[in-house]
Amino acid sequence: MQVLSDRVAYLKGLAEGLAVGEQSKEGRLISAIIDVLGDVAKVLTDLTEKHHELDEYVESIDEDLAELEEALLDEEDGDEDDDDDDEDDDDDDEGYDGLIEYDCPHCGHTVYFDAETFDMQQENACPNCGKQIFSADDEINPEPKG
């Protein structure tokens, strides 16, 4: 922006050297235009400085955010490892998280039932094909798959 200010100063000096000024209407107009150009150059210089400051500030925020994201991702990765260990300990005859797993005899779709609330007397329809998974001939306490 210094170049723009220098050019406006050059125009002002040139106008003074050519005695452009208050003598004619055109001279007054040219002087006023040069003054406005000086004001515009000053405003642009101020805006450029503020833009540079803002750019530096945004860059520092970006760096802080990157550090925060890295810390959060590392923390989440650690949590996932802990969850995997817990899942391995929970494997038992009932299946994952207290669920009983059956394959639909009609379509082969795997269906999960809550082990605590499972009732063989209820209608248990396959969510995939809509047909009953268990018939009246099935055992009262079938063994879970798996």
Side-chain angles (χ1 to χ4, degrees), residues 90-101:
D90 291 342
D91 289 340
D92 54 19
D93 290 341
E94 291 181 355
Y96 179 72
D97 288 337
L99 298 177
I100 301 173
E101 179 180 318

Side-chain angles (χ1 to χ4, degrees), residues 4-136:
L4 185 58
S5 298
D6 291 344
R7 291 178 72 187
V8 171
Y10 171 77
L11 289 176
K12 190 175 261 190
L14 187 61
E16 288 174 5
L18 294 174
V20 175
E22 302 297 323
Q23 297 90 353
S24 68
K25 293 178 187 178
E26 293 85 6
R28 287 190 298 252
L29 177 64
I30 291 173
S31 293
I33 290 173
I34 292 172
D35 289 342
V36 169
L37 285 174
D39 293 342
V40 168
K42 184 177 183 237
V43 168
L44 283 175
T45 301
D46 291 345
L47 283 175
T48 301
E49 290 173 5
K50 289 182 183 199
H51 175 58
H52 181 68
E53 291 173 9
L54 185 61
D55 190 39
E56 288 177 351
Y57 181 67
V58 168
E59 191 173 305
S60 72
I61 289 174
D62 186 47
E63 290 170 2
D64 292 344
L65 182 59
E67 290 174 10
L68 183 60
E69 286 173 342
E70 185 177 321
L72 286 174
L73 288 176
D74 288 345
E75 185 177 300
E76 287 177 6
D77 289 342
D79 290 345
E80 288 176 9
D81 292 340
D82 294 342
D83 292 342
D84 291 342
D85 294 340
D86 294 340
E87 290 173 9
D88 293 340
D89 296 340
D90 291 342
D91 289 340
D92 54 19
D93 290 341
E94 291 181 355
Y96 179 72
D97 288 337
L99 298 177
I100 301 173
E101 179 180 318
Y102 289 95
D103 288 333
C104 176
H106 307 287
C107 68
H109 182 77
T110 303
V111 182
Y112 299 92
F113 298 100
D114 185 357
E116 293 181 17
T117 61
F118 180 76
D119 184 3
M120 193 68 171
Q121 303 301 320
Q122 288 181 329
E123 292 184 10
N124 296 297
C126 173
N128 189 47
C129 68
K131 295 181 181 178
Q132 294 303 314
I133 295 176
F134 306 107
S135 65

